[in-house]
Amino acid sequence: MLPAARAFFAVVPEAESLPYIGAAAIFSLISSLFIAWGYARAEAQNLINLEYSAFIWAAIFGWLFFREPITLTTVSGAAMIVVGCILATRRDRKVAHIETTAV
């Protein structure tokens, strides 16, 4: 049902917004390639901060480009994410490496 109705709801972008859409697509592709390149060469525990900081960047870009309000819950959640990332990546921890094996 929905695929048949999508032609009636489709909106073709205006010609003056096509360069912006193209630039966004190129930047998205480049950033995805950099993230894939990083995950192929580094340990996931060092790169997880990139994933968690996406919430903070989403709040900032939402405020800048879409005029979304940044509420106290957004700021406190971002602060918890930053503190958690700092605690998770501290180098002074002494954690024994435990090798897991399949049974």
Side-chain angles (χ1 to χ4, degrees), residues 12-84:
V12 177
E14 298 174 4
E16 58 264 5
S17 61
L18 290 179
Y20 297 114
I21 294 171
I26 290 171
F27 288 137
S28 176
L29 177 67
I30 291 170
S31 65
S32 296
L33 290 173
F34 277 134
I35 290 172
W37 182 81
Y39 274 116
R41 286 161 181 76
E43 295 180 11
Q45 66 187 10
N46 295 331
L47 296 171
I48 197 65
N49 297 331
L50 177 70
E51 293 294 326
Y52 289 140
S53 69
F55 299 123
I56 299 168
W57 289 112
I60 291 170
F61 288 144
W63 176 68
L64 286 174
F65 297 116
F66 303 112
R67 305 206 191 277
E68 294 177 352
I70 296 182
T71 61
L72 181 63
T73 54
T74 304
V75 173
S76 62
M80 287 190 278
I81 290 169
V82 169
V83 170

Side-chain angles (χ1 to χ4, degrees), residues 70-100:
I70 296 182
T71 61
L72 181 63
T73 54
T74 304
V75 173
S76 62
M80 287 190 278
I81 290 169
V82 169
V83 170
C85 289
I86 291 170
L87 292 175
T89 58
R90 289 189 318 184
R91 297 286 182 193
D92 61 346
R93 306 185 283 157
K94 302 283 188 209
V95 178
H97 177 71
I98 300 172
E99 187 70 34
T100 57

